[in-house]
Amino acid sequence: GIVLPGRGPTKIKWNNTSTLTTMPLSFSRSPLRRAPQRRNTAPLLLGLSILLLVIYYARRKIIDIDTPQLRKYEVPSSSNHAQGGELLNVYELPPSHATEPAHLTPVDPTTLVPKGTHPIDVAHRNGYLHTGHILYIMDDSGSLLFLQRTPGVVTCPSTWSLLGEHANANESPRETVLRALEEELGFVGLNFDDFKNAGAFTAELHPSHNLKNSLTVTINTVTDLPLYYIRHYGPRNDNRIDRQLTYLWVVNFPKKHAEIDWKFDDEVADHKWVTLEEAASWLSGDGRNGKEDGEAKGGTGSDSAKEYGSDWKEVKDDGPDEGEFCHHTIRSLYEVGLSHMI
């Protein structure tokens, strides 16, 4: 056998006509192995990407449609801040108030005269009237929640208090209450009814931003009108004055506190639950120095009536911060609410 060019192995045979012919050798051989061809996966990846985008935008569309029907309230953005703290609406009392109201006097909020917005620090330094809210958080067993501030906070560190919140600029009373529940206790509010009477409504709350769990709370005003709160901090604190028309609310949870998923704010060091009677006893017995409003040097107390508007920034001192509840001024406000609840 020989190899002819391009023919592979052959054998030689002479035929009768003396012509040389060639015949392929008969043998089996393995076919040539081809290099594996790479599949073009680009169309597959493109299709998968399109599918994912369709799912994503479809889900967004579902959320955008369903959410307004489910969630009737959005917590206002925390962008309501300026140099000096949150922006607050500030007010003046109407001309019908010839003298400044005494501490804890009920005042009709519809009579206030708006005077723009200011950062909270400016409002306190200048004694501008603003609004705020105190929440009495009650569980199903009749226990009341108290919160202890962390040692690092500027105002009244390590002291005990009820849940309190300033009203941000352009915020309704109900919006402030719901924001307080979310920021301080970790509840998202959904599906609210309208005010059925003067300051009563229900809200569906979801603990720890978990929409799978929910509970319905009832929220009511404690007093018919908000109370005029005034605190003179005196020269030891740059003569700041806290003038606040304060709404008192009771928030009734339908379960015992141990059965509820609470998520307290980072500025809460501790908390405790007490009965209303225990709370009243605790408040009335608090105060290391035993000083009432106006007993400290330079103060004439909440009983003094001055010509309203003649001097917003008068120098007075309602006494030092003392006791487990910071000072007597705030304790007296808490006690008024309790007296309506017991």
Side-chain angles (χ1 to χ4, degrees), residues 71 73-76 131-138 163-168 170-190 192-193 195 198-205 217-222 226 245-253 262:
R71 181 166 186 169
Y73 170 75
E74 291 286 343
V75 173
T131 58
H133 302 259
I134 297 295
L135 278 59
Y136 294 78
I137 306 296
M138 302 288 300
L163 197 161
E165 195 70 51
H166 286 97
N168 284 341
N170 304 317
E171 200 172 42
S172 71
R174 182 173 71 172
E175 288 174 335
T176 307
V177 170
L178 297 173
R179 178 171 58 82
L181 291 172
E182 179 165 351
E183 293 181 354
E184 305 298 329
L185 302 181
F187 291 95
V188 174
L190 307 176
F192 313 103
D193 66 3
F195 284 86
F201 63 100
T202 62
E204 179 185 328
L205 301 183
V217 299
T218 58
I219 304 172
N220 295 276
T221 51
V222 177
L245 194 61
T246 308
Y247 294 78
L248 304 182
W249 302 85
V250 57
V251 182
N252 290 297
F253 281 77
W262 308 92

Side-chain angles (χ1 to χ4, degrees), residues 78-236:
S78 58
S79 62
N80 181 42
H81 281 70
Q83 186 174 1
E86 303 100 317
L87 283 176
L88 310 180
N89 289 333
V90 299
Y91 306 89
E92 284 186 0
L93 291 169
S96 58
H97 285 270
T99 59
E100 182 170 22
H103 179 57
L104 302 181
T105 299
V107 174
D108 184 353
T110 63
T111 65
L112 298 182
V113 180
K115 289 295 180 180
T117 61
H118 288 282
I120 185 172
D121 183 66
V122 174
H124 286 166
R125 286 184 180 277
N126 293 276
Y128 295 153
L129 177 61
H130 52 280
T131 58
H133 302 259
I134 297 295
L135 278 59
Y136 294 78
I137 306 296
M138 302 288 300
D139 76 349
D140 188 52
S141 67
S143 296
L144 174 63
L145 174 65
F146 281 94
L147 305 173
Q148 186 181 34
R149 300 168 182 260
T150 59
V153 297
V154 175
T155 305
C156 300
S158 301
T159 58
W160 290 87
S161 68
L162 297 172
L163 197 161
E165 195 70 51
H166 286 97
N168 284 341
N170 304 317
E171 200 172 42
S172 71
R174 182 173 71 172
E175 288 174 335
T176 307
V177 170
L178 297 173
R179 178 171 58 82
L181 291 172
E182 179 165 351
E183 293 181 354
E184 305 298 329
L185 302 181
F187 291 95
V188 174
L190 307 176
N191 293 343
F192 313 103
D193 66 3
D194 295 326
F195 284 86
K196 295 179 179 178
N197 50 57
F201 63 100
T202 62
E204 179 185 328
L205 301 183
H206 295 262
S208 298
H209 298 225
N210 184 354
L211 298 182
K212 294 182 180 179
N213 298 324
S214 67
L215 50 113
T216 300
V217 299
T218 58
I219 304 172
N220 295 276
T221 51
V222 177
T223 55
D224 293 334
L225 293 172
L227 305 180
Y228 192 84
Y229 173 94
I230 181 169
R231 169 77 179 171
H232 299 84
Y233 285 92
R236 59 197 153 71

